[in-house]
């Protein structure tokens, strides 16, 4: 897949990943093993305050069909079946959570050189229908994301987004929360050789008249080690260091401090992902 303007969630994704991805204040651990027939089994655990959450995820790939099954500590069973290239440019996704009988959903994604379309419908008597579409190319893309509740007959979500991309710069503008919030983001690649980039995101709420500005940067110290930092207008500064000590096995340490209240304890998060 991966051609054309992509799907609606791809608008502004590079800036969001730079500013928010891998930052955390929890302690996380995951271990992935593979069976002889290629089934991937991932066991994960996370300590959030005094609570400890764990899950086991199994992934099986058979030709163009991927089956993901996850069980968590709340005894919930998450199942996702993905059929890639069911037809040229088409991806089909079926997901449900047991024992929640209202969680079933089927989604169709279509990728074209000048469009990316995703539509989903809940498998209930009165489902929620979601449609998102992006039109454009690798330079300019315009999209919308709409959800309709067939039970009430109301639109429960309507968003819009615009993206402009060049070889080293990506700018986007997104209207969300039923057009009550506008978010402008910027991502700029400074040096591809060292994976150095800067980014910023400005969010304004029309009803609340509140603004949030976050700026950040990333840089690779070497091919296996990356550092990131960010700060927002509330004075919250964060930084992380991520090291790939073997292929696909990552160690990440991140910290957060309130620069307006230095006397408060800093938050520190650790994450370890092991893959053979």
């Amino acid at each position: 897949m991966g051609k054309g303007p992509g799907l609606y969630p791809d608008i502004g994704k590079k800036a969001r990943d730079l500013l928010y991805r891998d930052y955390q204040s929890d302690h996380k651990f995951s271990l992935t093993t593979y069976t002889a027939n290629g089934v991937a089994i991932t066991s994960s655990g996370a300590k959030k305050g005094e609570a400890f959450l764990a899950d086991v995820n199994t992934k099986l790939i058979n030709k163009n069909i991927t089956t993901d099954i996850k069980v968590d500590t709340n005894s919930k069973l998450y199942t996702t079946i993905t059929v890639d290239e069911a037809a040229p440019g088409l991806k089909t996704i079926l997901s449900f959570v047991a024992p929640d009988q209202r969680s079933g959903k089927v989604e169709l994604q279509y990728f074209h050189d000048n469009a990316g379309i995703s539509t989903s419908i809940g498998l209930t008597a009165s489902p929620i229908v979601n449609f998102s579409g992006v039109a454009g190319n690798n330079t300019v893309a315009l999209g919308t994301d709409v959800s309709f509740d067939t039970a009430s007959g109301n639109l429960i979500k309507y968003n819009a987004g615009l993206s402009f991309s060049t070889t080293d710069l990506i700018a986007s503008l997104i209207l969300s929360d039923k057009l009550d919030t506008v978010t402008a983001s910027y991502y700029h690649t400074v040096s591809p050789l060292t994976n150095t980039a800067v980014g910023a995101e400005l969010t304004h709420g029309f009803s609340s008249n509140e603004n949030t500005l976050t700026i950040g940067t990333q840089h690779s110290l070497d091919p296996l080690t990356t550092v990131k930092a960010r700060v927002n207008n509330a004075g919250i500064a964060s930084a992380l260091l991520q090291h790939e000590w073997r292929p696909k096995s990552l160690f990440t340490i991140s910290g957060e401090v309130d620069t307006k209240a230095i006397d408060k304890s800093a938050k520190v998060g650790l994450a370890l992902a092991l893959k053979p």
Side-chain angles (χ1 to χ4, degrees):
M1 300 287 183
K3 60 181 180 180
L7 299 176
Y8 184 82
D10 294 328
I11 296 178
K13 184 177 184 301
K14 291 284 285 187
R16 289 195 300 272
D17 285 350
L18 170 65
L19 296 173
Y20 304 111
R21 186 176 179 181
D22 296 325
Y23 286 100
Q24 60 185 344
S25 57
D26 306 317
H27 296 171
K28 297 183 178 180
F29 173 81
S30 67
L31 173 64
T32 302
T33 57
Y34 296 89
T35 64
N37 58 354
V39 177
I41 301 175
T42 301
S43 302
S44 303
K47 187 177 184 296
K48 298 179 179 291
E50 297 300 321
F52 182 80
L53 305 176
D55 61 69
V56 177
N57 184 84
T58 301
K59 174 179 286 189
L60 172 64
I61 300 177
N62 183 14
K63 296 182 180 180
N64 65 329
I65 301 176
T66 302
T67 303
D68 287 279
I69 301 175
K70 184 176 75 172
V71 181
D72 64 12
T73 49
N74 295 319
S75 298
K76 289 186 177 181
L77 178 66
Y78 301 80
T79 303
T80 303
I81 301 172
T82 303
V83 182
D84 208 357
E85 291 289 345
L90 183 67
K91 178 185 290 187
T92 304
I93 304 172
L94 172 66
S95 62
F96 56 90
V97 181
D100 186 359
Q101 297 180 353
R102 297 179 55 84
S103 63
K105 182 178 71 173
V106 62
E107 178 179 1
L108 297 177
Q109 297 178 354
Y110 177 68
F111 297 84
H112 185 269
D113 290 339
N114 298 110
I117 298 172
S118 174
T119 181
S120 66
I121 183 170
L123 301 179
T124 62
S126 301
I128 293 177
V129 180
N130 186 87
F131 172 84
S132 66
V134 178
N137 49 42
N138 293 328
T139 302
V140 179
L142 177 65
T144 185
D145 183 23
V146 180
S147 288
F148 178 75
D149 188 346
T150 58
S152 64
N154 297 323
L155 286 174
I156 59 175
K157 178 176 70 172
Y158 40 91
N159 305 322
L162 173 66
S163 176
F164 173 78
S165 304
T166 65
T167 55
D168 60 355
L169 182 148
I170 302 175
S172 66
L173 188 68
I174 298 175
L175 287 168
S176 57
D177 299 328
K178 297 182 178 179
L179 309 184
D180 184 60
T181 302
V182 59
T183 300
S185 65
Y186 165 85
Y187 177 92
H188 177 62
T189 301
V190 179
S191 173
L193 294 177
T194 58
N195 194 31
T196 303
V198 295
E201 181 184 82
L202 175 63
T203 300
H204 174 74
F206 293 107
S207 59
S208 64
N209 199 32
E210 293 182 354
N211 297 314
T212 301
L213 173 64
T214 305
I215 59 176
T217 185
Q218 71 178 23
H219 174 75
S220 292
L221 301 177
D222 57 54
L224 302 177
T225 308
T226 299
V227 292
K228 296 173 64 175
R230 72 179 185 197
V231 64
N232 63 22
N233 62 325
I236 306 299
S238 306
L240 72 79
L241 183 146
Q242 186 173 78
H243 179 68
E244 186 177 13
W245 55 281
R246 60 180 297 175
K248 298 183 180 179
S249 293
L250 302 172
F251 171 76
T252 306
I253 180 171
S254 58
E256 179 183 292
V257 63
D258 187 347
T259 60
K260 296 182 179 180
I262 299 296
D263 55 315
K264 294 184 179 180
S265 299
K267 297 179 180 179
V268 179
L270 298 171
L272 181 62
L274 302 177
K275 292 188 178 182

